[in-house]
Amino acid sequence: MAGSVDPPDGTPDGTPEGRPGGGEDEYRSVVFDESFIRAASLHELSARERLDDQTRDPVRHRADASDHELHELHGGRDGRGPEGDGDHGYLPPSRHRHGSRTGALALVLIVAMIFAAAVHLAFRGPHGPPLDQPAEPARMALVALAPQGPVPGGTPAELYTHGPAAQHRTGAAGITLPPARSTAHFTQSQVLAALSTAKDYLVQSSLDPAVLTGGTDRPVRLLLDPDQLAQFDRSLDRPAADGRHTVGGWLVRFDPDHVALADPEVRVHGTLGYTETSADELEVVSQHTFTYALRPAASDPGTADASLFTVRRELLFRFDREDLRLHRAELVTSRLWAGPLDCATDVSGTLSPLLAGQRATSTTAPAADPYATAPATGVPACSALAPDAQPTPP
């Protein structure tokens, strides 16, 4: 070290002359002497001053600091304008702190607004906010198909082998989904959600043994739009042939006092299709034929008195974005052809099929084939069951 420079007022009292490499001389270049401290414009408050003073500032301007010293410390700015009464120059610390708080608050508000906007856009999705459209009452029709002769009987295996359902798949495997592709306003995943919900409805309402035999209706009820639950409950509690409250409009159910399942494996064949009807709605159309092997409720399983019962269901489902999110469906229309049945029986409630060897009291033309693509152009209350829709005895 070449040497040291004394403070402006000389060496402080009580401080020995330093020598290079000895004592505290090596720290003298960073020690604030009394003249430097007296020249400072800020003074840290003592403990008593902090108690007496109501301000929150831990420091204050020294009262004895000269204008010249302030001028020098702040680069020639004395806090006054050209006329001595402005504030174009130095701002006191309180103003700096107030400006900092204001700026920080503004920044926080801007960040919050950006975050809120991002959440809002994410919630809206690319095609607007999810809309929960009120569901309309379902419209339904049921056509009884009366056999033109005695109902063929046999074992389930024989009947399936010699009937039109021989090549049909078993259970849910027979309800296949078409390729799901995005539409103008719905993504591929949303289309797939609509198709999957429609399939689940068909499985629960047409294949579940507990539903078929009257044990429960809960699996079907859970898949319906809440706006239709009152209509659904009324249909099952007090069915009526009014086009709104038939049991068969919602699900397939046999009279458990009359028939039982001879084979739990139901044969299924049909198609599913979808279309976008508006920017906020998808529709799914299902056309499926279900073939059941039934026996009299009083007979023993495995006997050769089984018969086939065929149900063709054409359902139209509607989905808004809320339905897709909650895995539920709005049933718009339901048409059902079922036989062999007697046209004289009430088919608005549970179904009471004609079993092996039984005949219908009357038949009505024209004949309808539930295995055909379009079994009937109209929706009469009863039609004749086409002979080709029955198994051929070996």
Side-chain angles (χ1 to χ4, degrees), residues 146-161:
Q148 302 180 51
V151 176
T155 65
E158 291 173 346
L159 295 172
Y160 280 132
T161 300

Side-chain angles (χ1 to χ4, degrees), residues 231-256:
Q231 182 187 7
F232 176 82
D233 295 338
R234 158 72 194 282
S235 300
L236 270 64
D237 295 339
R238 302 186 304 278
D242 58 1
R244 298 288 186 182
H245 301 97
T246 60
V247 173
W250 304 98
L251 50 84
V252 178
R253 173 161 292 178
F254 302 110
D255 183 354

Side-chain angles (χ1 to χ4, degrees), residues 29 47 90 98 154 167 293 306 330:
S29 62
Y90 166 74
H98 176 72
Q167 304 302 320
E330 174 189 347

Side-chain angles (χ1 to χ4, degrees), residues 160-196:
Y160 280 132
T161 300
H162 298 282
Q167 304 302 320
H168 292 179
R169 294 184 178 182
T170 301
I175 306 175
T176 57
L177 302 183
R181 297 184 177 87
S182 61
T183 64
H185 299 93
F186 290 89
T187 65
Q188 181 184 23
S189 61
Q190 289 174 319
V191 172
L192 181 60
L195 292 170
S196 299

Side-chain angles (χ1 to χ4, degrees), residues 1 4 45 80 85 93 106 113 135 164 192 195 218 251 270 281 304 310 316 318 329 334 341-342 344 352 362 368:
M1 180 182 294
S4 62
L45 301 180
R80 294 173 294 177
D85 57 352
M113 291 174 63
L192 181 60
L195 292 170
R218 180 174 173 78
L251 50 84
E281 289 183 340
T310 306
L316 173 61
R318 182 177 295 152
S334 172
L341 285 170
D342 194 333
S352 297
S362 63

Side-chain angles (χ1 to χ4, degrees), residues 48-340:
R48 180 176 296 279
E49 288 173 327
R50 292 179 182 178
L51 291 174
D52 294 339
D53 194 356
Q54 298 301 318
T55 181
R56 293 185 180 180
D57 294 341
V59 297
R60 62 176 172 82
H61 290 280
R62 292 175 55 92
D64 56 348
S66 66
D67 288 345
H68 175 73
E69 290 170 338
L70 291 173
H71 182 81
E72 292 296 331
L73 286 172
H74 301 298
R77 294 173 301 200
D78 59 2
R80 294 173 294 177
E83 304 300 328
D85 57 352
D87 56 357
H88 303 286
Y90 166 74
L91 292 176
S94 61
R95 288 197 179 186
H96 283 294
R97 186 170 58 257
H98 176 72
S100 299
R101 286 199 301 266
T102 302
L105 179 60
L107 180 60
V108 170
L109 289 175
I110 292 174
V111 173
M113 291 174 63
I114 294 174
F115 179 76
V119 172
H120 178 67
L121 290 175
F123 177 74
R124 282 172 53 93
H127 305 299
L131 298 177
D132 186 11
Q133 302 289 347
E136 299 177 358
R139 304 184 303 275
M140 50 196 63
L142 190 149
V143 181
L145 301 178
Q148 302 180 51
V151 176
T155 65
E158 291 173 346
L159 295 172
Y160 280 132
T161 300
H162 298 282
Q167 304 302 320
H168 292 179
R169 294 184 178 182
T170 301
I175 306 175
T176 57
L177 302 183
R181 297 184 177 87
S182 61
T183 64
H185 299 93
F186 290 89
T187 65
Q188 181 184 23
S189 61
Q190 289 174 319
V191 172
L192 181 60
L195 292 170
S196 299
T197 304
K199 177 176 179 175
D200 289 345
Y201 188 93
L202 290 169
V203 170
Q204 299 299 339
S205 63
S206 308
L207 300 177
D208 187 337
V211 173
L212 295 175
T213 57
T216 182
D217 56 59
R218 180 174 173 78
V220 181
R221 197 176 191 275
L222 290 175
L223 292 171
L224 285 171
D225 190 296
D227 294 337
Q228 295 186 316
L229 294 182
Q231 182 187 7
F232 176 82
D233 295 338
R234 158 72 194 282
S235 300
L236 270 64
D237 295 339
R238 302 186 304 278
D242 58 1
R244 298 288 186 182
H245 301 97
T246 60
V247 173
W250 304 98
L251 50 84
V252 178
R253 173 161 292 178
F254 302 110
D255 183 354
D257 296 330
H258 181 62
V259 299
L261 292 174
D263 185 355
E265 301 293 339
V266 181
R267 302 300 193 271
V268 186
H269 180 72
T271 61
L272 279 170
Y274 64 91
T275 183
E276 177 185 307
T277 56
S278 73
D280 298 308
E281 289 183 340
L282 278 173
E283 286 188 351
V284 174
V285 177
S286 70
Q287 298 179 343
H288 289 82
T289 300
F290 302 87
T291 305
Y292 305 88
L294 304 177
R295 61 177 176 83
S299 67
D300 295 329
T303 57
D305 58 354
S307 60
L308 297 186
F309 187 81
T310 306
V311 173
R312 180 180 177 85
R313 303 184 74 189
E314 295 186 359
L315 306 178
L316 173 61
F317 301 98
R318 182 177 295 152
F319 300 87
D320 59 27
R321 298 181 188 278
E322 192 72 359
D323 292 330
L324 296 175
R325 186 177 68 87
L326 297 176
H327 191 64
R328 69 191 190 194
E330 174 189 347
L331 181 61
V332 181
T333 60
S334 172
R335 298 196 297 173
L336 182 145
W337 291 261

Side-chain angles (χ1 to χ4, degrees), residues 331-393:
L331 181 61
V332 181
T333 60
S334 172
R335 298 196 297 173
L336 182 145
W337 291 261
L341 285 170
D342 194 333
C343 293
T345 61
D346 181 11
V347 294
S348 63
T350 56
L351 301 175
S352 297
L354 294 174
L355 299 175
Q358 295 180 334
R359 292 173 176 268
T361 58
S362 63
T363 58
T364 303
D369 184 357
Y371 294 95
T373 303
T377 56
V379 189
C382 187
S383 293
L385 178 62
D388 293 341
Q390 301 248 47
T392 303

